[in-house]
Amino acid sequence: MSLFFILQSSLIATIYAAALNPTNIRPNTSPASPVDTSDPFTLSSFNPNTWLPQSLTNGASILGTLQAPTLPYFLDQNSNANNFPWGSRTAQNTNPYTQSPTTGQVRSYDFTIKRGTIAPDGYQKDVMLINGQFPGPTIEANWGDTIEVNVHNEVTGPEEGTALHWHGLLQKDTPWEDGVPAVEQCPIPPGKSLQYSFKADLYGTSWYHSHYSAQYAGGLFGPMIIYGPENVKYDIDLGPVLLTDYFHPQYYDLVENVMGTNPALFTPKSDNNLINGKMNYNCSLVTDGTPCQDNAGLSTFRFVPGKKHRLRLINAGAEALQYFSIDGHTLTVIANDFVPIQPYQTEIVTLGIGQRTDVIVEANGNVKESYWMRSTIASCSFTYQPDALAIVYYPQANYNSQPTSTAWNNTKTTCANDPLTSTTPYFPITPAPNPATTITLTIGSTINATGHKLWTMNGESYRGDYNAPVLLLANTGNDSYPYSPEWNVYNTGSNSSIRFIINNPTGAVHPMHLHGHNMFVLNEGVGTWDGTVVNPQNPQRRDVQVLQKQGYIVVQIDADNPGVWPFHCHIAWHVSAGLYINVMERPKDIRNYDIPQAWAQTCRDWAAFTGQDVVDQIDSGL
Ligand code: C2O
């Protein structure tokens, strides 16, 4: 690096950051040009030479750039590559729910949450950032490690409470660490911190996100990777690939509309679709004067010819069902959510909100080419711009021009997960054929007397109380709330297995997520359940299952995890409007938990904060 270069760089910090970043080989050094409103939104506008510096689009995150590191097979790998932190456990021989390791190793993270201004797709926006990053930092651990995250709420202008949820982890023996306000803790008030500490009890790909209102749609999410035994061999781990619908208005305004009385605003349309927090936008569509630049830049990946690449797909969006594909490359699916499955091949993977799919892609393309990676929002979702694009480069590709590849000629239009017949868990478990109890839930949607649209479960729309978390009440022996039917608590007592039949007579698709468990997915479809079970010896397990419109799902759990577990539609607007229940599992055992003092303190702090600043809880709270 020449001295001249260093001097130049130090003069303009953003350019320096960009120069370090090989995706911005020729950063745009001229002052921001006025928006070219004549530029149509066509592929020909994807010129990598004019991409904005990463610091302007994604703050301190390097995700989506060629600088982003590939991931290891596991952390602290020493010269003996077979010296696994999880010992002799394999994906095949180990029941992850009863035999997870405890390594004693602690992985510590410090997260500061603050507002900031960035332009992920070129449209300038105030978002919430974690350590200055959008998406948030990647959490990494080995299976059996302890993850510690010290969360500092420095949200101001305006202040907001927050809480982080570690999606998909079981939190066995630590249900209070699950991070859901009004259920498992009080929100962390502005100016305060809370240290979470929990075991990485499952392995694979997941994410964390704020569970406070629809705050994660304002930026508060990031990937969470837990290294564990391989079920299918691969060479290179390209890491997380976050697929997120993206909204230009503030999440708070969107929720106000969703919870308001104007039916035209009940289903906000996303403005764009991002891969690892990046995409271009046609700025000529901006009419309110918000600064916007075309060619913000796309996420980029490298393929090594002949090698098998693992990609960890995560739908971390607010609303949209996504179809993911890479032109000219088939995908081998190896895991759904935290559950390794028998591999199968497909051209397109469907992910509802909250779902993850790990795929292996063999780099058998042309070494001189680059290829489009695509994620497309399904027609059952609401968007102005359904297509997210990223670029996969082979080593001899021209990095200064866009791919010319064409999409798979596959007209997937159904809003459903792949058939349960093709998703067989690697470690087989047979659920109880006759569960101890069955709960039938029917989803409804109503416009109430005052013109507000609410989602209901068996006729009741959920609304939580941030000052009265149900788990903390149950811990003190108070496990019945006749005065608060809107808390939607289903007490399953000491039943050893619980089946849920969920009917969805509505015209909307609902990605249903249960905390604290991997659900056996016994069946799903349109219409009503006929009583049959798919793969009864070893049904698919996962933590989110797409419930089709005018359809049903039948799921079952072993009640091996005392706690109060959220069971909800993961569409941010739907949970805001009440599509949510609490499953209270083994309340007698909940009394035995020794919940850390910090949880009571957070409630005292929250009470003090809300005493001075009345929190305008515009939605269910979640
Ligand atoms: Cu991703 Cu209730 O969670």
Side-chain angles (χ1 to χ4, degrees), residues 429-453:
I429 301 179
T430 304
N434 298 302
T437 185
T438 297
I439 296 173
T440 302
L441 298 162
T442 301
I443 294 176
S445 134
T446 54
I447 311 273
N448 71 10
T450 49
H452 299 270
K453 176 168 171 162

Side-chain angles (χ1 to χ4, degrees), residues 87-115:
S88 59
R89 291 171 185 79
T90 66
Q92 196 160 30
N93 75 7
T94 304
N95 182 329
Y97 313 111
T98 58
Q99 300 170 301
S100 67
T102 300
T103 62
Q105 182 69 242
V106 179
R107 310 286 169 188
S108 294
Y109 292 86
D110 210 69
F111 282 3
T112 298
I113 301 177
K114 271 188 188 166
R115 291 186 202 274

Side-chain angles (χ1 to χ4, degrees), residues 329-492:
H329 294 76
T330 51
L331 312 170
T332 301
V333 178
I334 63 165
N336 279 327
D337 300 344
F338 270 139
V339 181
I341 61 170
Q342 298 291 347
Y344 71 94
Q345 295 209 324
T346 183
E347 292 165 357
I348 298 185
V349 169
T350 306
L351 295 104
I353 298 287
Q355 293 188 314
R356 293 85 66 207
T357 294
D358 286 55
V359 297
I360 290 176
V361 188
E362 195 170 341
N364 49 15
N366 185 332
V367 296
K368 296 193 169 118
E369 294 291 335
S370 56
Y371 294 83
W372 291 118
M373 174 188 287
R374 303 174 193 266
S375 198
T376 306
I377 293 177
S379 59
C380 56
S381 300
F382 300 93
T383 186
Y384 292 109
Q385 201 304 88
D387 303 308
L389 292 167
I391 303 178
V392 179
Y393 295 108
Y394 278 80
Q396 293 170 47
N398 180 354
Y399 279 52
N400 295 319
S401 71
Q402 74 222 17
T404 55
S405 62
T406 50
W408 286 103
N409 182 16
N410 181 330
T411 49
K412 195 163 242 181
T413 53
T414 53
C415 290
N417 284 130
D418 282 357
L420 294 172
T421 45
S422 48
T423 52
T424 310
Y426 213 77
F427 184 84
I429 301 179
T430 304
N434 298 302
T437 185
T438 297
I439 296 173
T440 302
L441 298 162
T442 301
I443 294 176
S445 134
T446 54
I447 311 273
N448 71 10
T450 49
H452 299 270
K453 176 168 171 162
L454 295 173
W455 289 95
T456 57
M457 292 281 253
N458 285 355
E460 188 71 56
S461 186
Y462 170 80
R463 185 177 169 89
D465 181 345
Y466 285 149
N467 288 296
V470 179
L471 178 75
L472 306 191
L473 294 176
N475 183 238
T476 65
N478 179 359
D479 53 26
S480 156
Y481 320 101
Y483 47 87
S484 295
E486 75 278 10
W487 290 357
N488 272 4
V489 177
Y490 287 72
N491 187 332
T492 59

Side-chain angles (χ1 to χ4, degrees), residues 514-530:
L514 176 64
H515 292 219
H517 292 273
N518 280 333
M519 310 178 273
F520 295 107
V521 184
L522 304 185
N523 212 334
E524 66 87 30
V526 291
T528 51
W529 187 39
D530 64 3

Side-chain angles (χ1 to χ4, degrees), residues 96-162:
Y97 313 111
T98 58
Q99 300 170 301
S100 67
T102 300
T103 62
Q105 182 69 242
V106 179
R107 310 286 169 188
S108 294
Y109 292 86
D110 210 69
F111 282 3
T112 298
I113 301 177
K114 271 188 188 166
R115 291 186 202 274
T117 302
I118 52 170
D121 63 349
Y123 178 94
Q124 186 177 304
K125 189 185 166 186
D126 288 332
V127 299
M128 290 198 205
L129 299 169
I130 303 173
N131 298 350
Q133 304 178 34
F134 174 79
T138 302
I139 290 178
E140 291 172 85
N142 291 329
W143 189 26
D145 289 352
T146 295
I147 297 172
E148 251 177 37
V149 189
N150 200 356
V151 178
H152 311 288
N153 179 354
E154 294 185 11
V155 178
T156 56
E159 296 183 318
E160 278 182 35
T162 194

Side-chain angles (χ1 to χ4, degrees), residues 139-457:
I139 290 178
E140 291 172 85
N142 291 329
W143 189 26
D145 289 352
T146 295
I147 297 172
E148 251 177 37
V149 189
N150 200 356
V151 178
H152 311 288
N153 179 354
E154 294 185 11
V155 178
T156 56
E159 296 183 318
E160 278 182 35
T162 194
L164 291 187
H165 164 59
W166 324 99
H167 182 115
L169 290 178
L170 303 175
Q171 300 291 3
K172 218 171 258 186
D173 302 322
T174 55
W176 58 87
E177 303 281 354
D178 195 47
V180 182
V183 181
E184 294 143 344
Q185 64 168 96
C186 294
I188 308 168
K192 299 289 180 186
S193 301
L194 181 65
Q195 175 151 313
Y196 294 92
S197 176
F198 50 89
K199 180 167 153 177
D201 51 22
L202 293 174
Y203 59 91
T205 300
S206 197
W207 59 308
Y208 60 87
H209 59 87
S210 168
H211 221 305
Y212 180 100
S213 187
Q215 211 173 46
Y216 86 85
L220 290 189
F221 64 88
M224 179 169 69
I225 310 295
I226 300 170
Y227 303 102
E230 271 179 341
N231 60 323
V232 179
K233 289 255 174 263
Y234 58 92
D235 304 300
I236 297 166
D237 189 338
L238 290 180
V241 181
L242 294 158
L243 314 174
T244 55
D245 54 4
Y246 186 67
F247 297 77
H248 288 164
Q250 292 295 312
Y251 93 83
Y252 193 90
D253 297 333
L254 294 169
V255 172
E256 269 190 329
N257 289 338
V258 167
M259 302 301 295
T261 54
N262 181 350
L265 304 176
F266 288 166
T267 50
K269 283 187 177 181
S270 51
D271 295 286
N272 209 341
N273 194 16
L274 313 183
I275 294 179
N276 279 347
K278 302 174 72 63
M279 180 55 188
N280 288 352
Y281 185 68
N282 176 7
C283 291
S284 71
L285 297 171
V286 179
T287 53
D288 64 358
T290 303
C292 183
Q293 280 190 272
D294 292 337
N295 290 344
L298 308 183
S299 280
T300 48
F301 299 87
R302 270 196 202 110
F303 270 4
V304 178
K307 298 289 186 197
K308 292 185 167 141
H309 300 76
R310 179 177 188 159
L311 282 78
R312 300 166 176 272
L313 315 178
I314 306 166
N315 185 339
E319 191 267 343
L321 192 99
Q322 303 266 359
Y323 300 131
F324 176 90
S325 64
I326 301 175
D327 294 357
H329 294 76
T330 51
L331 312 170
T332 301
V333 178
I334 63 165
N336 279 327
D337 300 344
F338 270 139
V339 181
I341 61 170
Q342 298 291 347
Y344 71 94
Q345 295 209 324
T346 183
E347 292 165 357
I348 298 185
V349 169
T350 306
L351 295 104
I353 298 287
Q355 293 188 314
R356 293 85 66 207
T357 294
D358 286 55
V359 297
I360 290 176
V361 188
E362 195 170 341
N364 49 15
N366 185 332
V367 296
K368 296 193 169 118
E369 294 291 335
S370 56
Y371 294 83
W372 291 118
M373 174 188 287
R374 303 174 193 266
S375 198
T376 306
I377 293 177
S379 59
C380 56
S381 300
F382 300 93
T383 186
Y384 292 109
Q385 201 304 88
D387 303 308
L389 292 167
I391 303 178
V392 179
Y393 295 108
Y394 278 80
Q396 293 170 47
N398 180 354
Y399 279 52
N400 295 319
S401 71
Q402 74 222 17
T404 55
S405 62
T406 50
W408 286 103
N409 182 16
N410 181 330
T411 49
K412 195 163 242 181
T413 53
T414 53
C415 290
N417 284 130
D418 282 357
L420 294 172
T421 45
S422 48
T423 52
T424 310
Y426 213 77
F427 184 84
I429 301 179
T430 304
N434 298 302
T437 185
T438 297
I439 296 173
T440 302
L441 298 162
T442 301
I443 294 176
S445 134
T446 54
I447 311 273
N448 71 10
T450 49
H452 299 270
K453 176 168 171 162
L454 295 173
W455 289 95
T456 57
M457 292 281 253

